[in-house]
Structure formats: C-alpha cells, structure tokens
C-alpha cells in the first residue's frame, strides 16, 4: 500500500503537529512528535502565566507559549474551524456555541489526538534545540532535544525527514516610536495580555487592528477610563467610536514623552497609563541550522515552495502552518496531507529548479504589486486559491462554496467593530441551507 515509509520527526504538538502526525501515520510513516510542553494543544493551551518581560524583547526570558487571553472565543464559526473529516461539533458537557471559548478548541484537539492514536507518538517535555543535516550531502537530519528535567542532558536522533510545526505566536513584533524608552507607563504585547483588571480606571492605548486588538479593546473598555486605538490605516482620523462612550480611534503613534504624553500622527494626543501592542509576531526557528538555505527575511520564511518546501531540501524538510490570517485550520490540514503524500512518493513535486523559480515569481509578483516581503505568508483574499491548489495536488474534490462565503462574511464581522457578532450570528441563516446542501 505504501510507496515509501520513512522515519519522520514532527516538531510541535499544536494543531499543525497533530494534523501532520495523523497524515504521516495514515501514509504509513513512522512518526515521532517532539513537544516541549507537557500537554498537547499549543496555542490553545491557555496559560495564566505571563513572561517576565511583558513586551517580549528580552531574548533570555522564559517563553510562555500560548497567547490566549482568558476570555478568548474563536473568531470564526466552529464549522469553518473543524477538520474536513472530523467536524468540530458540540459535545455533551462542552461549550455548544457557534463561536466557543478557547477551552472547547483544546478539547477538540485532545479528542482528535486520542481518536487517531496520536498521543503515543508524542514525546512530551522534549524541546528540540537543533535540527541539522547529518552532513551537507545527506538527506538525513539530526534532531537534538532536551527534556525539562535535565537542561544539560541532550538526546540526538537521526530522521529521514523533518516537519516543522512549532507555531508562530511567541516572538512579538513591536510598533516602535520615538520616546518609547522614556515613556513612563506600562507597555505590554498582546502575547502577555490575559485579563483586563490591570486596566481598571486607566487610560489605555491599544496599537493594532487585528482580531486580538478588537477583542482586547472591547474587553478593557468595560473597565478602563478611556481606550484609544492607534491604527495604521491611511484614512483614519481622530474620532470617537460609534456605540461606545470611551473608545477613540487615532492614526499610528508618532512619539511619546516622559510626562506620559502619547502623540499620534494625526496630531491628537493623550496622557496614557498603558500601551498594549497588538502588533503580531515574527517567525522564529531557533533550532534550525541549514547554513542559510532557509532563513527569515523581513518576516518571510524562505525560499519555500508554496509556503511548505525549501526547494533544495525538499521533501526532507518542510513547514506546516506558516500562512496566517484567515482560518488556518483548513490550510494546515491540506498542507499536512500534501507533505505526507509527497514523502510517501504518491504525489510528486516539480524539479528543484521549477520550485525555485516559482518562489522567485511570487517574490517578483509581490514586488510589482508594491507588497512588502512580510506579506508573503499573509493569505487572506487569495486563501481559497491556495487551498484549491492544494486540493488539486491531493486529487480531492473542489472545496464547497459555503466555506468561502462564510469566511468572508465572518471576516467582515470581525473587522467591523460589531461587538456582538459571535452571539448574533444567525445559525438559522441561509448558511444552514448551505451546510445542508453540502452535506455537512
Ligand atoms: P501552535 O498551536 O503554536 O503549536 C506549536 C507547538 O509547538 C506548541 O505546542 C509548542 O509548545 C511546540 N513547540 C514550539 N517550539 C518547540 C520546540 N523547539 N520543540 C518542541 N516543541 C516546540 N485560529 C482559528 O482558526 N480560529 C481562531 O479563532 C483563532 N484565534 C487565535 C487567537 C490567538 C490569540 C492566536 C495566537 C491564534 C489564533 N488562531 C486562531 C490561530 C492558531 O494559531 C491556529 O488555529 C493554530 O492553533 C496554530 O497551530 P500550530 O500548531 O501551528 O501552532
């Protein structure tokens, strides 16, 4: 049945690592999943701890993996988040809402791992500290890992292929501005935001406009004196947000002073107590040693063919889960299937030269469109094109139309400051007809 069965290492037991492990197992590969934490679930494993450096700039800090805040509810309907053959359906004793809290996603991943026999494949408490080819001509990889109990005791093993699934929500991006270092208030990255209490009666600036910024903004507005959102959108002017009596919008922060003043690009200013940076994350692979073959440049991991395979190391090294923005679970699932089938020899990759020129074409296209390199993995409008491309590689039927319709509808809700969209989402809406039509 199997064309080729390999010894494969997967780094991380979050959503990407679990899906990858399942697909590799299905294809008959021998899989070991290295997971530094003692539980699976990655980012969905809520951790009340925060890091010692709340901005996350100190490279020596102990990293807390998850960025979940206590109140987080998913921002996409559960029907979109579920895997193709393992629906994210409400279960007895769980959170039945269409947009459940984070605990429900963790439960779903735990059930998934149990039902597909993945738990026995995971080496918990094993942090991968080095991934390197055995030598420059070999396709084999050395994985060096260490356990929490003994930092100095490392284990080395050799694998025929490695799939990197370490997530990308631990190294914060900060929106720097002049005066940042002398400004006397509290600054924190959303990675280290858990609950709103510390903003009680404070004047808070929230930087960013993504889903986390919207959630955090809304949550702290219920306890803070004033909340000011700084946005990098070209046509934003200082204004109070409709339907909110203590939220204002501004353009980006221009500078800050030691007297607490925060000045925005549009000329408006506030004397603030707290700045929360909801400004995203950098890709980070501290364990990866490829002699510069794969690197992170302007937050683009490359060169990677279709965000997954480095052309000259394919298929022996791959990355699952890099694209962000826009319902990552389906992308992760399709990528993991692709990797598993490529490794078993059932799906072929183009030649190294063809893959390399495809990557170059993508960079060139982005340059001509005026897009910076850090937009490379930011799939949003072109997410369905990419997913359908993966589907074609896998010989699967085209994706159902409702996915696209529902996704763009949800996206519009997320960005519209509609605070109630999770609860007012109409489950008896025509979507239901669409699900039924597609046999969900
Ligand atoms: P992770 O979940 O981060 O898992 C990576 C795993 O790798 C972790 O378990 C980590 O411990 C392990 N690891 C890392 N380094 C090492 C190492 N060196 N050695 C061993 N193990 C290692 N998606 C949605 O679809 N809907 C949402 O509503 C949604 N909300 C989100 C809200 C927030 C605040 C964040 C941060 C993300 C959200 N996402 C959402 C996206 C989410 O990241 C993905 O759904 C998905 O969980 C990503 O899975 P992953 O496996 O790639 O990464």
């Amino acid at each position: 049945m199997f064309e080729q069965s390999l010894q494969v290492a997967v780094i991380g037991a979050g959503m990407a690592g679990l899906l990858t492990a399942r697909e590799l197992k299905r294809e008959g590969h021998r899989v070991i999943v290295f997971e530094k934490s003692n539980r699976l679930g990655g980012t969905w494993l809520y951790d009340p701890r925060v890091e010692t450096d709340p901005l996350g700039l100190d490279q020596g800090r102990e990293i807390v993996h998850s960025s979940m805040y206590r109140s987080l509810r998913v921002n996409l309907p559960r029907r979109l988040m579920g895997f193709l053959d393992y629906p994210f359906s409400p279960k007895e004793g769980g959170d039945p809402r269409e947009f459940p809290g984070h605990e429900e996603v963790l439960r779903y991943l735990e059930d998934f791992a149990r039902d597909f026999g993945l738990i026995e494949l995971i080496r918990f408490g094993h942090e991968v500290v080095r991934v390197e080819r055995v030598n420059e001509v070999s396709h084999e990889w050395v994985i060096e890992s260490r356990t929490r109990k003994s930092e100095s005791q490392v284990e080395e093993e050799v694998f025929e292929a490695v799939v990197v699934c370490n997530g990308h929500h631990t190294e914060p991006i900060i929106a720097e501005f002049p005066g940042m270092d002398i400004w006397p208030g509290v600054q924190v990255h959303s990675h280290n935001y858990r609950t709103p209490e510390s903003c009680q009666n404070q004047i808070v600036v929230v930087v960013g406009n993504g889903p986390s910024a919207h959630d955090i903004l809304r949550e702290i507005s219920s306890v803070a004196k004033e909340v000011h959102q700084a946005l990098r959108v070209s046509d934003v002017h200082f204004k109070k947000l409709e339907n909110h009596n203590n939220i204002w919008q501004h353009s980006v922060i221009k500078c800050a002073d030691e007297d607490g003043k925060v000045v925005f690009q549009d000329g408006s200013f506030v004397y603030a107590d707290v700045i929360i940076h909801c400004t995203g994350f950098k890709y980070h692979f501290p364990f990866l040693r490829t002699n510069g073959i794969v690197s992170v440049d302007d937050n683009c991991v490359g060169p990677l063919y279709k965000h997954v395979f480095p052309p000259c190391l394919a298929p022996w090294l791959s990355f699952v889960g890099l694209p962000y923005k826009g319902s990552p679970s389906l992308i992760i699932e399709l990528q993991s299937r692709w990797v598993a089938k490529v490794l078993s020899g059932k799906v072929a990759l183009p030649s190294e030269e063809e893959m390399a020129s495809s990557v170059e074409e993508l960079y060139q296209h982005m340059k001509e469109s005026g897009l910076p390199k850090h937009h490379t993995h930011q799939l949003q409008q072109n997410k369905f094109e990419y997913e359908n491309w993966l589907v074609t590689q896998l010989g699967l039927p085209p994706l159902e139309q409702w996915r696209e319709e529902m996704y763009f509808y949800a996206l519009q809700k997320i960005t519209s400051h509609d605070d109630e969209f999770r609860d007012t989402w109409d489950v008896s809406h025509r979507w239901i007809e669409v699900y039924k039509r597609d046999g969900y």
Side-chain angles (χ1 to χ4, degrees), residues 12 14-16 35-36 42-44 65 74-75 81 128 166-167 169 328:
M15 188 183 281
E35 170 51 59
K36 68 178 177 186
T43 219
W44 297 101
H65 187 81
V74 299
N75 53 27
M81 280 185 67
V128 171
N166 66 326
H169 292 105

